[in-house]
Amino acid sequence: MKLMLIVALILNLVISGCELYALVHIKDKLNILKYYTYLQNFLSLIVSLICCIYLTISIVSGETVPEFVMGLRYIATCGLVATMFIFIVFLGNGKKIAITEDDFQPGFNPKKANIIFHYVCPIVSLLSFVVFERQIDLSNDIWTAITAIPSCIYWIVYIVLTKTKLWEEPYDFTATDKKNNFIEVLTVLLIPLSFIAISFILWNIK
């Protein structure tokens, strides 16, 4: 049990370090509030730091890690996996990439940020949550409802701000010059639906 917690601590430290390294290089820190990727990775940074504190206490003193910590890790992991899914399906492979050199301080390669945000942190978080944190109690199924709240709020606000033209749409999903509006609307709907599916799968394999 203690070995599993130690490995989980190491993996959460890796997540925290990678997230901090990439996020501090963002040129305009307010972009953290605009992009889904930044929001989910910022949330993951905070959650992993909290998790590291409680894992350390548990390893040293033998105290049980509180369930709310695992609940937060569940939310963060779902968000990161959803971010990876969105990047691969909707933004990667030559499609529109939201993260560019303009988003970061001079000398920082945006490809490095893409790798950290969309691959390294989601995979490490998933590995830690499913394998090494599975012995920590997470039995209250209210978390399956709570975990969808951040993403649902984001995409509702996203659609409202886009349709009312109160911001420049960061992902260009619903641009009016698109030929097939049905496909674009379906794309926006599939994103929160994919998050719900991911959260359901992770809950059942945890």
Side-chain angles (χ1 to χ4, degrees):
M1 177 67 173
K2 181 172 285 191
L3 178 59
M4 300 284 277
L5 294 178
I6 292 172
V7 176
L9 173 60
I10 293 171
L11 293 179
N12 274 276
L13 286 172
V14 170
I15 295 170
S16 301
C18 289
E19 298 283 20
L20 191 60
Y21 172 68
L23 288 171
V24 296
H25 285 92
I26 295 176
K27 186 185 300 182
D28 182 3
K29 298 301 188 290
L30 290 179
N31 276 339
I32 291 177
L33 303 176
K34 185 175 183 179
Y35 291 107
Y36 186 79
T37 290
Y38 294 162
L39 274 173
Q40 290 293 358
N41 280 274
F42 180 71
L43 173 63
S44 174
L45 169 62
I46 301 302
V47 170
S48 287
L49 288 174
I50 293 172
C51 189
C52 285
I53 293 172
Y54 280 96
L55 284 172
T56 301
I57 293 172
S58 180
I59 292 168
V60 173
S61 68
E63 293 184 20
T64 303
V65 176
E67 184 172 359
F68 86 87
V69 176
M70 280 305 298
L72 293 176
R73 280 286 296 127
Y74 173 58
I75 294 173
T77 301
C78 288
L80 287 179
V81 174
T83 297
M84 180 171 64
F85 173 79
I86 291 168
F87 178 77
I88 293 172
V89 175
F90 299 112
L91 299 176
N93 299 320
K95 302 174 185 176
K96 178 180 176 61
I97 304 298
I99 298 177
T100 67
E101 291 180 354
D102 294 334
D103 297 317
F104 292 92
Q105 296 170 2
F108 189 81
N109 191 336
K111 292 182 179 179
K112 189 183 298 183
N114 276 320
I115 292 172
I116 290 172
F117 289 151
H118 300 122
Y119 295 107
V120 175
C121 289
I123 291 172
V124 173
S125 183
L126 183 63
L127 176 65
S128 182
F129 180 78
V130 173
V131 178
F132 298 103
E133 299 169 25
R134 64 182 304 115
Q135 296 184 41
I136 303 174
D137 182 57
L138 181 62
S139 56
N140 192 336
D141 57 10
I142 193 175
W143 290 104
T144 58
I146 294 175
T147 190
I149 292 175
S151 286
C152 288
I153 290 175
Y154 175 85
W155 291 109
I156 289 171
V157 173
Y158 183 100
I159 293 172
V160 170
L161 292 180
T162 298
K163 290 305 181 182
T164 55
K165 302 185 184 303
L166 292 177
W167 72 353
E168 182 180 350
E169 185 181 9
Y171 291 112
D172 197 26
F173 285 148
T174 61
T176 55
D177 59 343
K178 297 285 187 178
K179 293 183 179 180
N180 195 331
N181 288 328
F182 174 76
I183 296 299
E184 299 310 315
V185 172
L186 184 62
T187 297
V188 174
L189 290 175
L190 279 175
I191 292 172
L193 290 176
S194 66
F195 184 92
I196 293 172
I198 289 168
S199 64
F200 176 80
I201 294 170
L202 286 184
W203 181 264
N204 283 279
I205 65 176
K206 173 65 176 71

